[in-house]
Amino acid sequence: MEPKRELTSVDLAALVSELNAYKGAKLDKAYLYGDDLVRLKLRDYDRGRVELILEVGDVMRAHVAAPTHVPDAPGRPPNFAMMLRNRLSGADFEGVEQYEFDRILEFEFSREDGDTKIIVELFGHGNVAVCDGTYEVIDCLDTVRLKSRTVAPGSTYGFPDSRINPLTVDYEGFAHTMDDSDTDVVRTLATQLNWGGLWAEELCTRAGVEKVLDITEAGDEEYEQLYDVVQRLAESLSSADLDPRVYYEVDDGDDEDGEDSGDDGPRGVVDVTPVPLEEHEMDDSLASDAYETFNGAVDDYFYELDRSDDEESEPVGNTGPDFEEQIAKHERIIEQQEGAISGFEEQAEEEREKAELLYGNYGLVDEVISTVRSAREDDVPWDDIAETFEAGADQGIPEAEAVVDVDGSEGTVTLELDGTRVAVDVADGVEKNADRLYTEAKRIEGKKEGAMAAIEDTREELAEIKERKAAYEERDEDDSEDEDDEHEVDWLARADIPIRRDEKWFERFRWFHTSTGYLVIGGRDADQNEELVKKYVEGGDRVFHTQAHGGPVTVLKATDPSEPSREVDFDDGTLQQAAQFAVTYSSVWKDGRYADDVYMVDADQVSKTPESGEFLEKGGFAIRGDRTYFRDTPVGCAVGIQCEPSTRVIGGPPAAIEDRVETSMRVEPGRYAQGDVAKRIYREFRERFNDTSFVRKVASPDRIQHFLPPGGSRIVEE
């Protein structure tokens, strides 16, 4: 049995009541690990330290964790974490709600200067959005722009389309939804009533209803049994009357030949549930532990799951990246996406067919609507209207025979037209009802277009993985053929890469080392440009600047600031790399251009003293004497991960970077925001390294963004 990696809607409904027990706790600090795990550290008057974990990556969870289960704080807080700290430090936790029956939690915090909502999406690719009190998005881990919804800074947060909430639907709505299905009972519960596969099976088992019973053979008896089970479960969830369980597989102690191996014991956790599941209790391969709180069960479950994942990632011998698993995963995703697209096509076609049936039976439908309207104008009760239609059907009146349901609460009448049931709103005419169905078909087709875009992305990712697999296998063949080559560490394949970091004085500037080993530094803004000219330009250094306005002061250092200055004869390649660095991080990139002129001067030609009658702005400087020009210098930037002698992200001119790193990616001017490009590079790096936790620690999206040029970019496909 595959371990559960995502909390279900039922799980979230159970967690909400327990998490709300922490109302009034104050937020101390916020942390971001990689691009998918947010940690909120709070202080509660009664409980002390409270660690709220929100993870939206390969694992999707939201719960309070024991302090011993919390990862160490990352070294440098990224921008997203700093934003959370600035906005929420000292804020009171006001509570959490589940959005309808979706896998969405909305955490609310208040402070004197305003309210903040943290919306956690535990479905799809996952997301965390930070909004103000009016739901305007301040920032989010992932930008979402679909026809149906938008989640992007500056926009109003868009919730997904509403669906049936099976915990609150009344019996009539429950039975109506069941009747509308064209499949069996368990699939109807799973898809139409949004229970999902496991809980749909559990409800059938508890109710004593055959899972594969065709819906046409089910009736009030089965519906009432199922609805009663749902009501009891809903009451348990809302009142927090739970009996949580963590399930794990057990070894029966027999070897492959059926002999007792003497090795009985747990194999690993596979599920966590707010109440015992009869489906699991009947499985002899599963055992369970009971917990006092569901939150405690969830915390232990994911802690053990993480440990088991780490153990499974330990390589046996000299193993490489598990390309086959990645390929299989993407193929499964594509299969699911194709199924969703097919479902959208069928749904849209069904809505169009219903609209056409209304027009094809225009006279009959119009007569039914007119009859109901006339009766309601005379204050005839809905039940009497239904009885009138039943009597008319017994008399063989075609219009009455077509009526299969009258719903006064919704103001609708359901007609059976050529074997298809169509609900019409009696407040509207035939045309408006048909138009509503056509509009719904278009909305579903919009969802199909979003799914088609997503499947193309997944197919591109799959193609890239297959290319890397082929390249990796080719490299292995080359290595085996050349037995005299020195042994090199395959950092991509290692399961555990040690972190070796020492912060350097120049890392707060833009920087890189040339392929010949010289340090190049540049200012990030006017203040840093000012500081560089005043403090770090020394004899023997070269200073570069673009001909275009709006570029960093770029200094090619001949010596370290702690060393005495000296003259150095820099080779052409070194000078070209420094010039490319200057143009890459200038306004040239922002403007979407690919080249510009760069000039170079000696250190003693740079002055902060203006000519008589002139004025220098902050960050500006005066140049005296001749300049050396590098005409049409092309922009160029690569970002990569270095594994030795230290572990860090580095970036700069490709010629200087690519031989120093284990893996890298190039970017060029484009239309995608820095943050979005950084996240995509981060995800790609995580795919390339076997030790994904190493990538999270040393190459977070914010560290990658540190080396990206200002303005829009796009990844160069190689």
Side-chain angles (χ1 to χ4, degrees), residues 338-623:
E338 287 175 338
I341 290 170
S342 177
F344 292 145
E345 290 173 346
E346 291 176 4
Q347 291 173 36
E349 184 59 29
E350 286 174 3
E351 296 303 309
R352 277 193 295 269
E353 287 178 357
K354 289 177 183 178
E356 289 162 8
L357 283 170
L358 292 183
Y359 281 121
N361 296 271
Y362 191 101
L364 183 149
V365 177
D366 185 56
E367 179 64 27
V368 170
I369 292 174
S370 299
T371 300
V372 176
R373 279 185 184 173
S374 177
R376 290 300 297 157
E377 288 171 1
D378 293 336
D379 295 326
V380 177
W382 285 97
D383 289 344
D384 290 353
I385 293 173
E387 290 175 3
T388 300
F389 278 122
E390 288 176 5
D394 292 339
Q395 297 170 24
I397 300 172
E399 291 81 1
E401 288 179 329
V403 176
V404 294
D405 183 60
V406 176
D407 188 344
S409 63
E410 297 292 334
T412 62
V413 173
T414 301
L415 305 171
E416 185 163 315
L417 306 173
D418 297 345
T420 299
R421 294 189 174 188
V422 186
V424 296
D425 189 331
V426 296
D428 298 325
V430 179
E431 293 86 351
K432 281 192 175 182
N433 275 285
D435 185 60
R436 172 176 52 81
L437 293 168
Y438 282 127
T439 301
E440 176 64 10
K442 289 180 181 178
R443 187 190 69 80
I444 294 170
E445 285 178 334
K447 294 172 69 174
K448 170 191 165 186
E449 290 175 10
M452 290 179 70
I455 201 172
E456 284 306 311
D457 289 343
T458 309
R459 284 172 175 156
E460 288 178 9
E461 292 170 4
L462 176 60
E464 290 171 1
I465 294 169
K466 288 181 176 179
E467 288 175 5
R468 293 203 308 275
K469 176 176 181 275
Y472 187 85
E473 291 172 347
E474 184 179 347
R475 184 177 65 180
D476 275 356
E477 291 175 5
D478 292 342
D479 289 345
S480 63
E481 291 173 3
D482 192 356
E483 296 178 357
D484 295 330
D485 283 354
E486 287 187 16
H487 173 70
E488 294 184 0
V489 177
D490 186 353
W491 295 106
L492 295 176
R494 283 195 57 164
D496 185 15
I497 302 175
I499 307 297
R500 298 184 299 276
R501 284 281 286 132
D502 57 328
E503 297 289 336
K504 301 294 186 182
W505 64 270
F506 49 78
E507 291 190 20
R508 61 193 182 89
F509 301 105
R510 296 196 184 279
W511 65 275
F512 81 100
H513 284 97
T514 67
S515 53
T516 49
Y518 290 101
L519 174 66
V520 177
I521 51 178
R524 291 186 170 276
D525 51 35
D527 288 332
Q528 286 197 350
N529 282 348
E530 189 89 4
E531 184 181 0
L532 284 175
V533 173
K534 287 182 176 179
K535 293 178 59 177
Y536 294 104
V537 175
E538 301 172 305
D541 295 347
R542 303 289 191 274
V543 179
F544 295 76
H545 201 274
T546 55
Q547 192 68 10
H549 181 72
V553 172
T554 300
V555 184
L556 171 58
K557 296 292 297 176
T559 57
D560 189 90
S562 62
E563 300 173 346
S565 60
R566 60 186 173 87
E567 289 294 328
V568 172
D569 185 16
F570 296 107
D571 65 83
D572 289 342
T574 297
L575 299 178
Q576 289 286 350
Q577 288 171 18
Q580 186 174 52
F581 180 86
V583 72
T584 295
Y585 294 96
S586 73
S587 61
V588 172
W589 187 288
K590 273 186 182 179
D591 295 340
R593 294 186 287 132
Y594 285 78
D596 197 25
D597 296 341
V598 179
Y599 64 81
M600 176 186 74
V601 295
D602 294 336
D604 58 10
Q605 294 179 252
V606 181
S607 173
K608 284 298 298 177
T609 304
E611 298 289 349
S612 178
E614 295 183 356
F615 171 76
L616 290 177
E617 297 177 352
K618 178 182 284 191
F621 52 91
I623 300 293

Side-chain angles (χ1 to χ4, degrees), residues 73-198:
R76 178 187 299 169
N79 294 339
F80 190 84
M82 290 304 298
M83 177 275 298
L84 283 173
R85 293 182 187 184
N86 292 336
R87 191 168 183 89
L88 291 176
S89 180
D92 292 323
F93 174 48
E94 297 293 345
V96 57
E97 293 181 354
Q98 180 182 17
Y99 175 69
E100 297 181 350
F101 194 62
D102 259 313
R103 287 188 289 161
I104 297 177
L105 291 181
E106 182 181 332
F107 294 84
E108 186 166 354
F109 294 85
S110 68
R111 207 168 61 176
E112 287 185 2
D113 56 351
D115 296 340
T116 300
K117 301 175 187 293
I118 298 179
I119 302 176
V120 185
E121 299 179 358
L122 299 165
F123 64 90
H125 293 295
N127 203 1
V128 175
V130 181
C131 307
D132 66 13
T134 65
Y135 289 95
E136 180 177 325
V137 178
I138 308 302
D139 201 357
C140 51
L141 293 184
D142 261 337
T143 300
V144 178
R145 297 186 188 277
L146 302 173
K147 286 188 175 182
S148 58
R149 61 191 293 257
T150 299
V151 182
S155 69
T156 299
Y157 178 85
F159 285 98
D161 293 336
S162 293
R163 303 185 302 165
I164 289 176
N165 185 339
L167 297 179
T168 59
V169 66
D170 59 19
Y171 178 74
E172 288 73 18
F174 175 84
H176 179 72
T177 303
M178 295 290 285
D179 280 337
D180 266 359
S181 176
D182 59 359
T183 182
D184 55 29
V185 170
V186 72
R187 287 187 176 87
T188 303
L189 290 168
T191 59
Q192 304 302 309
L193 282 155
N194 305 318
W195 281 104
L198 177 61

